[in-house]
Amino acid sequence: MARSQSPSRAKAAAAAGSGDYTENIIDIDVTSEMEGSFLEYAYSVIYSRALPDARDGLKPVQRRILYMMSDMGLRPDRGHVKSARVVGEVMGKLHPHGDAAIYDAMVRMAQDFSLRLPLIDGHGNFGSLDDGPAAPRYTEARLAAAALTMTDHLDEDVVDFIPNYDNQLTQPDVLPAAFPNLLVNGTTGIAVGMATNMAPHNLGEVIAAARHLIANPEATLEDLMQFVPGPDLPTGGRIVGLDGIRDAYATGRGSFKTRAKVEIEQLTARRTGLVVTELPYMVGPEKVIEKIKDAVNAKKLTGISDVVDLTDRQHGLRLVIELKNGFNPNAVLQQLYRFTPMEDSFGINNVALVEGQPQTLGLLPLLQVYVDHRLSVVRRRTAFRLGKKKDRLHLVEGLLIAIVDIDEVIQIIRSSDEAAAARDRLMSIYDLSEIQANYILELRLRQLTKYSRIELEKEQEELRREIAELEAILGSDTLLRELVSGELAEVAAKYGTPRRTVLLESEAVSPTVAAALAAAAPGPKGKAAALPLEIPDDPCWAILTASGQIARTANQDPLAEAGPRAKHDVFRSVVKTSARGEIGAVTSQGRMLRVQVMDMPVLPPVAGLPNLAGGVPAKDFITLLKGETLVAFVPLDSVLALGTAQGVVKRVQPDYPLNREDFEIIALKDKDRVIAAEPAAEDSTELVFLTRQAQLLRFAASAVRPQGRTAGGMAGIKLAAGDEVIHFGTVRADDPAAVVVTIAGSNGALPGTAPGTAKVTAFDEFPAKGRATGGVRAHRFLKGEDTLLLAWAGHGPAKASSAAGVARALPVEHGRRDGSGVPLSQPVDAIGASMAWAEDNGAG
C-alpha cells in the first residue's frame, strides 16, 4: 500500500504562508497502479510507435513525416529543405515525442540500402551500413517521387482524419498508399510483448500479385507465390533455401539465410582473391572486415592475407579479400560464410495492425488487407469526385438558365433593394435553388458573352458524361477493381526495377566445388567431407605458350585430350610437375628464376578441355629485366640444353643454388641471347639448330658434355657472316613423326604484309652432322625471298597460330629438304609442338 499527499493541497497551504495544513492521504494498491500504468504504456508503444498499419505499411511517425512534408509542399520538383525544419514541423504539430525519433525514422526512409523503394530524397550524409547520419542541421530532404503515390488525393476524402495530440490540427488516420508499401519496403519494430520484422520485396512482383488477387478474390497462397517467389533485398545478395520463406508466407513467421555475392578473381598474376560485390541485408563492409580480422587473429580463419575495401559511390560495394598462395578459394569462402556475417539469417515476423489489433499475417492476408484498403480509397475518391461533379453541374445548369434570359435577370437584380431580395426573386421566377441563385449573383460580366454560353453547354455535356462514368464505377464492383488494378499497373511501370536478390532453392556451388566435394572422402555418417582448405599437391602441367601466356592445368593429363581450344595458341614449353612443385623459368639473358607452380593461374575448362584464354602474360607474372624475355619453362631436376642466337650450345647440370630465387645458368657473350632451353637426356636425344639463312644442323646431345651453370658453353653451329640462330630444340632420333617447318620471306618486307611460303619436311631427311659444323640447307628461297621468318623442329604434326592465338594452316604434304615452300594465305607468328610431344617431353 502507498500513502501520498495531494500536491494541490500542499501548494495551497504553502502559498498561504502556513506551515500547518491538513494532509490528504490516498491509499492505493501498488499492484493495480503498476498494472494500469504498464498497460497504458504498452498500448501506447504498440499502437502509436512500434507497429505499422497493415494498410499503408507505416508507423505513426513515418506517416506524420510524409504527411507534413506533403503539406509543406516538399515535392520532388522543388528544392530540398533542411531536415531540422521538417523535424521541427512534425514534432511541433503532430508528433511530440522528441526530435531524435523523428529524424531516425526520416533517415531510414531516405536510405536506399534500408528500403527497397525509398520514400524521401535525402541530400547530404544520411549514413551508411556502418556509420550513422549527419545531424539534421547538416542534411536536407524532400519527398521522393514514389512518396507522392502514398499521399495523393488526401484532399478528396479518401481516408479519415483524426485530431492531433492537442486537438488543434488534424492528421490522416492512414495514407492512401498507391502501392503495397508494407511488403515492398518491409519494416522492423520492437513493441511490448511483441515485435515485427518484415522483409522487403520487389515492387513489380508484389503489384502483380495484388492485381491477381483483385481479379481473382478466391486466389490461393500458391497462386500468389507464382508472382512473389521471395524477398528482394535492397542490397541484393543471395537467399539460400526457400522453405523458411514458404512458412513465412503461409503463417507469417519463418526465416531464411542470406549470403554475399562473391566472385573468385585473379587479382594479379600471382594473387587470387575473393571479390564481394553484394552483402546480406543490413550488413556493412566494415562489420565484415572486423569479423574477418577477429577470426584470423583467433585462428578460426586461415588463408587470408589482406582485406581491402574499395567501395565508392560510383562503383558501389567492392570488398577484396586477398588469399595466400596455396589455399583453395572455395574452401576459404566456406569458412567466411561460417565465421563472418557474409552469411546471415533473417527472421520474418509479420506483425502489423489490422483494424487497430496486432495480428500476424501471411502473404495472402497482407495483400488482402491492402487490396481492401485500396478499394475503399478509390471508392471514396470516386464518391467525392461524383459529388463535386454533381455540384458543378447544378451550378452550370442554373447559369445556363440565367444566360438564356440575361436581360430579365439583370433587371431583377437592379430593381431589387438588396441581394437577399434579388436572390429570392430569382429563385421564385426561374425555379432556382439558393446555391444557383447565389452563384448567378456573383456572376462576372465577362461570362455573359455568347462564347461563354457555348463553353457552358460543352462543360454541361462533359460533366454529365463524367458523372455517368463515376456512377458506373460506384455501381459495379468489377469496374472498381479494374480501376484499382490499372492504377497499380501504372505505379509498377513507373517505379518498378529488376530483381536484385537471387533466390536459390538450396545451397548452390560452382562446378569446381561440386567436383571437389564429390571426390572428397565421406565424412561422419556418410556425409560429404568439407573441401580441403589448402590446395592438394596434385600432378599438373605448367605451360608457356608461344604468345607469352603462362598457366597451369587443374589435373595431371589434360593435354592429351586438349584438341580444339577456346584459343588456338601453341605451346612453347610444357613441364610436368605438381601443384605445390617448383619449376625453372629461363630468360633470354641466361638467367633462371624459380617459379612456384601454385602461384600460376589455373586454366578454366571449356567443355571439359583446358582454355588457354585463362592464362596471364609472362611479363605480369615474372619480373624481367629491360630487354629480357621469357624463353622456356624447364624442370629443375633434369639436364638442360640451351642454344643461343650466336650458335652456342650448352648442357647444364641441375646443381642450382637452393637459397636463391634467380641465378645465371650460362655466361653469354656480348649481344648474344638464349633462344630456347629444353630438357636433354643423352639417350637418343638430338639437338637441332635452324638459322635465318636456312641452315639446319642436327647432332647427338652426347656430343655436348654437361657443364656447371657459370660456364659459357661451346660452339654448336658454325654461322655464316650475318647469319643467326632462330630456332633451337631437341628431337628424339627415333621419332618417325618428327618434322621441320620453315617459313621463308623477305627481310625487307613490312611485318604482316607478306605471309611468305611454308614448307613441312620430315626430320629424318636431314642428315646428322658434327657439332660446330654448318649443317645442311633446309629451304630453297624463291625470287624475292632472302631469309627464314620462322623455323621449328619437333614432333609432328606442328601447330601454327597468329600473335593473338588464332589458328593458322600449314601445308599438309611434306616437301623436299632443299625444296621451296608453298605460299601462305595468312601470316604465321608462332609454331609449336603437338600434344603428343607435350606428353612425351613435358616430364623431361
Side-chain angles (χ1 to χ4, degrees):
M1 304 292 289
R3 301 172 66 85
S4 63
Q5 174 183 318
S6 170
S8 59
R9 187 67 178 269
K11 289 180 180 179
S18 170
D20 183 19
Y21 52 85
T22 303
E23 292 185 352
N24 182 18
I25 299 174
I26 301 174
D27 294 335
I28 61 173
D29 183 74
V30 175
T31 302
S32 300
E33 179 68 19
M34 291 297 295
E35 288 178 352
S37 299
F38 182 77
L39 286 175
E40 290 181 5
Y41 166 75
Y43 182 89
S44 175
V45 171
I46 292 172
Y47 296 100
S48 301
R49 292 173 60 184
L51 297 184
D53 193 297
R55 294 171 291 178
D56 62 3
L58 298 172
K59 300 176 184 179
V61 63
Q62 296 171 326
R63 186 179 304 113
R64 290 163 182 168
I65 290 171
L66 294 180
Y67 172 66
M68 185 52 62
M69 292 182 73
S70 175
D71 189 61
M72 294 169 66
L74 304 181
R75 299 174 57 86
D77 55 352
R78 300 181 183 178
H80 297 79
V81 302
K82 286 290 184 181
S83 300
R85 178 183 169 190
V86 177
V87 171
E89 288 288 314
V90 174
M91 181 173 60
K93 295 182 177 180
L94 303 178
H95 195 78
H97 293 292
D99 57 341
I102 299 172
Y103 187 56
D104 287 346
M106 181 177 172
V107 165
R108 187 178 186 274
M109 288 192 290
Q111 293 174 335
D112 58 1
F113 53 83
S114 295
L115 270 63
R116 189 61 178 81
L117 185 63
L119 300 176
I120 290 179
D121 177 13
H123 181 67
N125 178 16
F126 274 78
S128 67
L129 287 166
D130 297 302
D131 297 312
R137 61 183 179 274
Y138 298 121
T139 62
E140 298 177 341
R142 64 185 178 189
L143 288 176
L148 296 181
T149 65
M150 296 289 294
T151 58
D152 269 351
H153 314 302
L154 276 173
D155 56 346
E156 294 185 290
D157 191 34
V158 293
V159 295
D160 295 333
F161 276 69
I162 57 177
N164 70 335
Y165 65 93
D166 59 0
N167 293 321
Q168 299 296 314
L169 301 170
T170 59
Q171 59 184 327
D173 182 47
V174 66
L175 293 185
F179 66 90
N181 177 63
L182 187 57
L183 278 167
V184 171
N185 283 323
T187 189
T188 181
I190 301 175
V192 178
M194 63 186 67
T196 184
N197 195 35
M198 303 181 67
H201 291 76
N202 185 272
L203 175 68
E205 295 176 355
V206 173
I207 287 182
R211 295 184 65 198
H212 181 77
L213 185 60
I214 291 172
N216 304 276
E218 303 301 323
T220 64
L221 175 62
E222 289 70 22
D223 297 334
L224 299 182
M225 286 189 64
Q226 294 181 5
F227 300 95
V228 186
D232 186 21
L233 307 176
T235 52
R238 290 177 165 85
I239 292 179
V240 181
L242 305 183
D243 290 341
I245 295 175
R246 294 189 182 96
D247 293 340
Y249 286 169
T251 66
R253 296 179 184 272
S255 65
F256 58 86
K257 288 194 303 182
T258 59
R259 279 187 173 180
K261 181 180 179 182
V262 187
E263 299 292 341
I264 300 173
E265 293 186 9
Q266 196 72 31
L267 304 179
T268 65
R270 291 178 176 268
R271 185 73 68 183
T272 302
L274 302 174
V275 179
V276 183
T277 54
E278 295 175 3
L279 285 172
Y281 185 46
M282 302 308 293
V283 174
E286 290 186 10
K287 181 179 180 181
V288 173
I289 293 174
E290 180 184 356
K291 292 296 183 181
I292 290 176
K293 291 181 178 179
D294 292 344
V296 169
N297 292 335
K299 301 188 182 304
K300 295 180 180 178
L301 277 177
T302 56
I304 296 176
S305 62
D306 195 12
V307 183
V308 182
D309 187 3
L310 302 179
T311 304
D312 58 32
R313 293 184 181 270
Q314 182 177 0
H315 300 94
L317 176 68
R318 184 173 175 84
L319 191 63
V320 180
I321 303 172
E322 298 182 4
L323 303 182
K324 296 178 180 178
N325 292 329
F327 284 84
N328 188 335
N330 289 294
V332 175
L333 181 58
Q334 286 184 340
Q335 284 191 325
L336 288 169
Y337 285 148
R338 180 181 177 187
F339 295 112
T340 74
M342 285 175 60
E343 178 179 281
D344 200 10
S345 180
F346 188 97
I348 297 177
N349 188 23
N350 295 337
V351 178
L353 297 176
V354 180
E355 296 182 355
Q357 299 295 322
Q359 296 183 19
T360 303
L361 306 173
L363 178 63
L364 179 57
L366 279 171
L367 281 174
Q368 188 63 62
V369 168
Y370 171 76
V371 167
D372 291 344
H373 168 62
R374 194 60 192 167
L375 289 171
S376 172
V377 166
V378 176
R379 185 183 295 108
R380 292 180 61 166
R381 185 188 68 194
T382 303
F384 178 86
R385 290 177 178 178
L386 178 61
K388 288 292 184 180
K389 297 296 181 183
K390 287 183 176 181
D391 291 343
R392 177 61 183 169
L393 179 61
H394 185 61
L395 294 177
V396 170
E397 289 174 341
L399 192 56
L400 283 171
I401 293 173
I403 288 179
V404 169
D405 198 7
I406 190 62
D407 294 335
E408 181 65 23
V409 170
I410 294 174
Q411 181 62 33
I412 292 173
I413 296 174
R414 292 186 63 184
S415 61
S416 300
D417 294 333
E418 57 184 13
R423 180 178 61 246
D424 293 340
R425 292 175 65 188
L426 288 174
M427 292 170 59
S428 174
I429 295 172
Y430 294 103
D431 194 23
L432 300 175
S433 67
E434 183 177 351
I435 295 175
Q436 289 174 322
N438 285 331
Y439 187 71
I440 291 172
L441 291 174
E442 296 171 359
L443 193 66
R444 297 179 181 179
L445 292 178
R446 67 183 181 185
Q447 295 178 261
L448 301 179
T449 64
K450 180 179 179 181
Y451 182 71
S452 294
R453 179 179 177 180
I454 296 174
E455 287 183 334
L456 287 173
E457 290 174 346
K458 288 183 178 179
E459 184 180 359
Q460 182 186 40
E461 182 181 352
E462 182 68 19
L463 286 171
R464 287 173 176 171
R465 184 186 61 81
E466 291 176 351
I467 289 172
E469 291 178 354
L470 294 173
E471 289 177 339
I473 293 173
L474 290 176
S476 171
D477 184 67
T478 301
L479 290 178
L480 178 64
R481 288 177 175 272
E482 289 178 354
L483 178 59
V484 173
S485 179
E487 291 179 353
L488 284 172
E490 292 176 3
V491 173
K494 188 173 183 179
Y495 301 107
T497 55
R499 166 172 282 274
R500 299 175 186 173
T501 301
V502 177
L503 302 177
L504 302 175
E505 185 68 40
S506 58
E507 182 174 341
V509 297
S510 66
T512 304
V513 180
L517 288 172
K525 299 181 180 179
K527 295 183 179 179
L531 284 174
L533 183 59
E534 297 189 13
I535 296 176
D537 196 19
D538 294 334
C540 65
W541 298 74
I543 299 171
L544 171 64
T545 72
S547 63
Q549 300 286 311
I550 63 175
R552 66 179 172 90
T553 61
N555 50 49
Q556 180 176 5
D557 190 22
L559 301 179
E561 301 177 356
R565 301 181 299 277
K567 275 215 167 188
H568 298 272
D569 206 347
V570 298
F571 297 109
R572 178 180 294 174
S573 297
V574 178
V575 178
K576 191 174 184 179
T577 178
S578 63
R580 291 186 167 273
E582 192 176 56
I583 62 172
V586 179
T587 72
S588 59
Q589 294 189 11
R591 293 194 306 147
M592 179 181 284
L593 298 89
R594 294 181 182 272
V595 175
Q596 302 296 324
V597 177
M598 73 174 62
D599 294 350
M600 300 170 65
V602 180
L603 291 179
V606 174
L609 305 176
N611 173 16
L612 294 182
V616 298
K619 61 183 179 60
D620 295 341
F621 186 81
I622 296 175
T623 303
L624 300 173
L625 304 177
K626 185 178 180 179
E628 188 177 32
T629 59
L630 179 63
V631 298
F633 279 162
V634 294
L636 294 175
D637 57 355
S638 300
V639 176
L640 302 181
L642 289 81
T644 73
Q646 295 182 6
V648 175
V649 65
K650 178 182 179 181
R651 292 178 68 211
V652 187
Q653 292 280 15
D655 54 349
Y656 311 124
L658 299 177
N659 57 349
R660 293 177 60 182
E661 293 299 319
D662 65 282
F663 41 85
E664 186 182 61
I665 58 172
I666 184 173
L668 292 173
K669 298 179 181 179
D670 291 342
K671 298 182 181 180
D672 199 4
R673 69 183 189 280
V674 175
I675 295 297
E678 292 184 8
E682 292 187 5
D683 297 340
S684 68
T685 301
E686 292 193 346
L687 307 181
V688 183
F689 282 94
L690 277 159
T691 73
R692 288 210 176 273
Q693 295 184 9
Q695 292 298 116
L696 182 148
L697 174 64
R698 55 179 285 198
F699 56 87
S702 57
V704 181
R705 71 179 186 278
Q707 296 176 302
R709 61 183 184 83
T710 58
M714 58 187 69
I717 183 173
K718 184 178 180 181
L719 297 175
D723 199 5
E724 68 171 351
V725 176
I726 60 173
H727 173 76
F728 171 80
T730 62
V731 177
R732 297 178 64 171
D734 57 353
D735 184 2
V739 295
V740 176
V741 181
T742 52
I743 299 178
S746 172
N747 195 34
L750 294 175
T753 58
T757 61
K759 178 170 70 72
V760 180
T761 310
F763 181 71
D764 57 13
E765 287 198 18
F766 296 90
K769 299 289 183 178
R771 181 181 62 81
T773 63
V776 298
R777 185 169 67 175
H779 194 110
R780 180 167 58 85
F781 294 140
L782 299 174
K783 184 177 181 180
E785 297 178 343
D786 56 9
T787 185
L788 286 185
L789 303 176
L790 281 176
W792 179 85
H795 185 90
K799 304 293 182 181
S801 75
S802 68
V806 179
R808 294 287 189 254
L810 291 173
V812 177
E813 297 183 359
H814 288 186
R816 302 192 314 273
R817 69 177 180 86
D818 60 346
S820 57
V822 177
L824 293 172
S825 59
Q826 293 176 306
V828 173
D829 298 303
I831 307 173
S834 67
M835 299 304 107
W837 175 89
E839 185 175 13
D840 293 341
N841 294 277

